[in-house]
Amino acid sequence: MTTETGSGQMVRALSWKGAFWVAAGVPPLVLFSIGGIAGTTGKLAFLVWMISMVMGFLQSFTYAEMAGMFGNKSGGTSVYGATAWLRYSKLIAPLSVWCNWFAWSPVLSLGCAIAAGYILNALFPIPLAESQMVVDWVTANIGSYTAETQSVIDYMAANAGTAVEDAIKAVAATDGVNALTPWFRTWEAFQITIPGLGNLHFNSTFVIGVILMLIILMIQERGIASTASAQKYLAIIVLVPLFLVGLVPILTGSINWMNVTNLVPPTAAYSGVDGEWNIGGWTLFLGGLYIAAWSTYGFETAVCYTRELKDPKTDTFRAIFYSGLLCIVFFFLIPFSFQGVLGQEGMLATGIVDGTGVGEALGNMIGGGPVITQIFVILMIMALFLAIMTAMAGSSRTLYQGSRDGWLPKYLGAVNSHGAPRNAMWTDFAFNVVLLALASDIAGYFYVLAISNVGYILFNFLNLNAGWIHRIDSAHMERPWKAPTWLIGLNTVLAFVNALFLGAGAKVWGYENALWSGLIFAALIVPVFWFRHFYQDGGKFPKEAYDDLGLPYGELGERKAGMLPYLALILGAAVVLWANWFFVLPA
């Protein structure tokens, strides 16, 4: 560890404020799934965000304690918690790190997919059917349509009772929009179908997304101090207007209280119709809490940079605590104001669900004209950059520390002259190029989100239990900040609440097998870990992994917790399986 660049090591160049600014990319994550959660949970949406944020804030105190124990580690709380499981199973520790990585890493591809949509809307807009250019096209071409035109016949068959003249106008308008849509907007080089996964689309969204990821990668090559500086200015530019958007409707009385009262789940996902608190309704509610966790818990990334903090003993707690307070403000305010102003119908608009119309909605919420709306569209792209920068910085350091601790391949443990984990960042990039191809249409977008969150909930379950395991097995280790014992106990209960979300909620997002797909991906750590531990390291962990726990080389120490960690795993699995069986979607 050094304070000088060019040493081939990570550099202690970050204060807690720097870590706070890097984590400031978490609040914009609310915009990734605000439409999806509204569609799934109806009027309960803002309440889902609030409950999830409170859970995330409480859980962060367990993570803050563990982060302070390992001042020489990077990679975040999954790394610190994984060491607690090391005595009980060599496989559980890398599983926690792996799950955290494949939960955070897709922010790159999902964020770039949305940002690419904004750029396409700005540079290659699809004309509106009522626009003058489409009207002129229809006027010039409508004479070529008759009652015998096949497209007119098909339209009348699909819309019984429509007069021939009206059908011709509707078909001509649709053809006009298609004819005047820029070619690049609908261009696709090819697609590949992967059984059990989906379709990889190599289209205009993919091309723009790859370019955006490369730009972010180049910024982060300069090291964590450079990344934090860029994040600071981006955060100020993005979060101040976003805060005002959440606050102004409340102050001006624009909230329609009918939109945030009579809180019941919908009859079905995206129905927009109030339902009741039956098994199907509870399933939708838990599904909302399941996917919200992917965003609201995310500020734990503030402790990904412990190895790069100037004073990790004091900075780790400050970084995660103040990042949590920041997220409370935004995850309470934005969903409430969005729902209060737009209502269920507005929240179900296509542009809100897929994220590409959120910028326009933000501008409209404060009564802005076309200029204000365009400014918010630009701010949305910058907000996405902010979130993507946070995700790449955190997830690459998880890969880096996983390599240093002997869980992931050795090549991931290299850094460049600025102390940035270059190989880990390029691995993140390559992985997300594939995910970007999958997420380049809206169906694939939510599939990636649902699967990646399986890993995130698994990581949180293991990590919250790691808090009490460390208290028993590593009581000798210094804790610069120690959480109240009652809070460690409460967070252990929340670990099993998260397991409930996983079992009930993963199926809600249009993919009945999302849970199993996520578990299969989690299982891929087995061959990866086997290659590193048994092939590259001969069955032993690197010396620094033992040093961090204060243990002699080659010894994992006494299992003071006995059978309790194994019982926690069995109970967690039982909760997931029971919830997956018991909770079913509305008929």
Side-chain angles (χ1 to χ4, degrees), residues 70-427:
F70 301 98
N72 290 323
K73 285 186 181 292
S74 182
T77 186
S78 64
V79 172
Y80 318 140
T83 57
W85 289 98
L86 202 54
R87 292 179 174 91
Y88 299 91
S89 172
K90 285 186 175 181
L91 188 59
I92 297 298
L95 174 65
S96 178
V97 174
W98 178 261
C99 285
N100 190 26
W101 169 70
F102 88 74
W104 257 108
S105 187
V107 176
L108 278 68
S109 53
L110 298 179
C112 285
I114 298 176
Y118 275 104
I119 292 171
L120 285 170
N121 284 341
L123 301 181
F124 307 97
I126 297 175
L128 298 174
E130 60 270 19
S131 65
Q132 189 59 50
M133 59 191 302
V134 173
V135 171
D136 292 343
W137 188 95
V138 170
T139 301
N141 292 275
I142 199 167
S144 60
Y145 294 88
T146 67
E148 285 72 41
T149 302
Q150 187 59 50
S151 55
V152 174
I153 294 172
D154 293 341
Y155 184 90
M156 295 179 69
N159 299 272
T162 303
V164 173
E165 182 179 353
D166 292 334
I168 289 175
K169 289 179 179 178
V171 170
T174 300
D175 288 350
V177 169
N178 293 334
L180 296 171
T181 296
W183 69 272
F184 187 65
R185 186 60 187 262
T186 57
W187 171 81
E188 181 170 88
F190 58 93
Q191 66 171 280
I192 300 173
T193 300
I194 300 180
L197 182 63
N199 296 319
L200 304 183
H201 297 269
F202 297 89
N203 53 19
S204 52
T205 299
F206 174 82
V207 171
I208 294 174
V210 169
I211 293 171
L212 295 177
M213 274 198 285
L214 283 171
I215 293 171
I216 291 166
L217 184 62
M218 293 303 104
I219 293 172
Q220 302 220 354
E221 283 272 354
R222 301 293 300 173
I224 192 63
S226 175
T227 299
S229 178
Q231 288 281 94
K232 177 180 179 179
Y233 295 109
L234 264 179
I236 292 171
I237 293 171
V238 168
L239 296 183
V240 171
L242 193 59
F243 172 73
L244 293 176
V245 166
L247 193 60
V248 167
I250 297 174
L251 297 178
T252 59
S254 300
I255 301 294
N256 182 348
W257 294 99
M258 292 294 292
N259 294 334
V260 290
T261 53
N262 187 29
L263 302 181
V264 291
T267 55
Y270 299 98
S271 70
V273 178
D274 289 348
E276 57 182 311
W277 286 105
N278 51 24
I279 296 297
W282 276 104
T283 302
L284 294 175
F285 179 62
L286 293 173
L289 287 165
Y290 165 74
I291 215 72
W294 184 80
S295 301
T296 56
Y297 299 178
F299 68 95
E300 45 85 11
T301 191
V303 293
C304 270
Y305 319 101
T306 305
R307 193 179 178 98
E308 295 159 282
L309 290 171
K310 295 175 182 177
D311 186 1
K313 287 187 176 182
T314 59
D315 288 348
T316 47
F317 176 75
R318 291 178 181 176
I320 195 169
F321 179 74
Y322 288 110
S323 296
L325 291 181
L326 177 73
C327 287
I328 284 176
V329 171
F330 282 90
F331 284 108
F332 274 46
L333 202 57
I334 300 302
F336 178 79
S337 290
F338 243 74
Q339 185 172 325
V341 173
L342 299 180
Q344 286 197 72
E345 183 177 350
M347 297 289 279
L348 293 176
T350 301
I352 303 298
V353 173
D354 66 19
T356 59
V358 172
E360 183 178 356
L362 291 172
N364 292 336
M365 280 174 61
I366 60 173
V371 174
I372 298 297
T373 298
Q374 284 304 113
I375 290 174
F376 272 100
V377 169
I378 295 171
L379 286 174
M380 266 301 299
I381 297 175
M382 296 176 73
L384 293 166
F385 260 72
L386 190 64
I388 297 164
M389 291 264 286
T390 295
M392 179 174 280
S395 61
S396 61
R397 281 157 177 81
T398 300
L399 291 179
Y400 165 84
Q401 192 63 48
S403 173
R404 300 282 298 188
D405 286 341
W407 301 326
L408 300 177
K410 282 187 175 181
Y411 85 96
L412 294 169
V415 299
N416 64 13
S417 60
H418 298 284
R422 170 176 286 171
N423 291 351
M425 291 193 299
W426 277 99
T427 300

